[in-house]
Amino acid sequence: MMMKRKGIHKPTIEDAIEISGIETLHPGGFDLTRRTAEVAELKPGMRVLDVSSGRGTQAIFYAENYGVQVTGIDISEKMIQSATDSAQRSGNTDRVSFRLGDSRALPFSDNSFDAVINECAVGIPDDSQQVLNEMVRVVKPRGTVVIHESIWKKRISDMEKEELSERYGTTPLELEEWNHMLQKAGVVNITSEHEEWSKPERVVTLKRILQKHGISGVTKVMENEKVFFKAVMDGKIGYGLYRGVKGDIHGNR
Ligand SMILES: C[S@@+](CC[C@H](N)C(=O)[O-])C[C@H]1O[C@@H](n2cnc3c(N)ncnc32)[C@H](O)[C@@H]1O
């Protein structure tokens, strides 16, 4: 993973998304969440872990639409509070719960869940391989692992990758790199699909950025957006959706 020159492009697009108040904190919006649930083959009664569950929107969606029992985990107290409030408001506390935790050290025993999902947050901690290893550790043998993540869709220089990653606040990888990392973590029978990130929504609530980071923060975010979304429009960045199962000790399904 690339070295990050921390602070130079702060606040990043990722920072701005997190304080914007929007519900679905990933490109692809709800359509991608629906597709994620489909490829995870969620069925009533399954125990599902949503890693880095954000505002809880996806966890609640899975529970309401597929009859699954969902645990969400996130490192941010604010996100956990917001997700818990949503579960209460929507009357889902019997089937969805949220707890504070780090995706690099999941607070669950081995083989606890039928499916483990991570929507757009494997690439946020520096050690993405560790996040995948942990997801695989806590899913049952032959249980489902699904992630979606930002990918480079065109060959570009390492310098441009570094620049765009810093402005974004997370590091996209090549489609195949995520594949290899999943395999290394013990996932087999991997399938993937990838999409253009063709219509980026304007995700920044400038008033909140102003309150938190001042006028220089607003300028920085607008500059980050301009450069980053140009790269999106140029077809350099998209996202991949990956699905596989935890192999047995011999790597078979
Ligand atoms: C891009 S948002 C995605 C949230 C949600 N999955 C969604 O798609 O709306 C990234 C989330 O990852 C969380 N996060 C960042 N680092 C984390 C870590 N080490 N462990 C758990 N969650 C983390 C952030 O708090 C944030 O809620």
Side-chain angles (χ1 to χ4, degrees):
M1 202 138 291
M2 270 166 275
M3 289 295 292
K4 294 189 180 176
R5 287 176 292 159
K6 291 198 188 312
I8 292 176
H9 294 300
K10 288 273 179 187
T12 62
I13 293 173
E14 192 63 52
D15 296 326
I17 289 171
E18 284 187 20
I19 63 172
S20 68
I22 60 172
E23 291 286 323
T24 304
L25 306 175
H26 57 252
F30 243 102
D31 287 347
L32 182 54
T33 289
R34 196 170 294 112
R35 184 70 192 136
T36 299
E38 279 169 17
V39 302
E41 296 175 4
L42 300 184
K43 304 234 167 32
M46 280 171 79
R47 251 194 108 200
V48 178
L49 176 65
D50 184 20
V51 179
S52 297
S53 45
R55 296 191 212 290
T57 319
Q58 293 79 35
I60 293 170
F61 174 82
Y62 306 149
E64 285 184 339
N65 292 279
Y66 298 89
V68 293
Q69 196 73 32
V70 191
T71 304
I73 185 161
D74 201 282
I75 204 165
S76 154
E77 278 181 39
K78 276 192 184 159
M79 291 292 179
I80 291 298
Q81 190 56 56
S82 154
T84 304
D85 291 347
S86 291
Q88 277 164 0
R89 269 200 312 276
S90 59
N92 281 300
T93 46
D94 55 334
R95 46 189 175 171
V96 188
S97 62
F98 297 96
R99 65 186 274 189
L100 201 60
D102 190 333
S103 55
R104 293 162 296 186
L106 292 170
F108 304 105
S109 315
D110 298 358
N111 309 325
S112 297
F113 296 93
D114 300 297
V116 178
I117 296 174
N118 187 319
E119 293 206 50
C120 199
V122 178
I124 294 178
D126 277 344
D127 194 349
S128 302
Q129 184 67 59
Q130 176 64 13
V131 175
L132 294 174
N133 294 348
E134 279 293 276
M135 290 176 64
V136 173
R137 180 182 66 74
V138 302
V139 76
K140 293 176 185 170
R142 292 174 299 283
T144 313
V145 176
V146 179
I147 66 167
H148 58 75
E149 263 307 333
S150 298
I151 55 168
W152 303 116
K153 289 182 66 81
K154 281 186 179 167
R155 296 238 168 253
I156 57 174
S157 71
D158 284 350
M159 209 199 272
E160 191 177 2
K161 283 182 179 175
E162 188 179 346
E163 170 78 12
L164 290 168
S165 300
E166 283 173 8
R167 291 186 186 279
Y168 187 11
T170 184
T171 308
L173 296 178
E174 308 281 341
L175 190 72
E176 274 307 307
E177 284 182 276
W178 288 118
N179 225 327
H180 289 144
M181 287 172 74
L182 282 161
Q183 280 171 19
K184 202 171 158 193
V187 180
V188 298
N189 296 353
I190 301 170
T191 55
S192 65
E193 41 196 84
H194 56 98
E195 299 293 337
E196 303 294 329
W197 196 6
S198 55
K199 283 188 193 158
E201 296 164 33
R202 183 161 180 76
V203 290
V204 178
T205 304
L206 291 179
K207 195 172 158 209
R208 293 189 188 189
I209 303 288
L210 185 66
Q211 282 163 351
K212 187 160 182 197
H213 297 282
I215 192 76
S216 64
V218 172
T219 311
K220 191 57 76 183
V221 164
M222 289 177 81
E223 184 192 307
N224 287 342
E225 271 196 333
K226 195 170 154 210
V227 177
F228 185 79
F229 288 143
K230 179 171 186 324
V232 172
M233 291 306 182
D234 290 345
K236 292 177 177 172
I237 300 168
Y239 55 84
L241 173 67
Y242 301 77
R243 183 242 192 231
V245 295
K246 178 171 176 171
D248 60 23
I249 49 167
H250 307 294
N252 301 317
R253 178 164 182 172

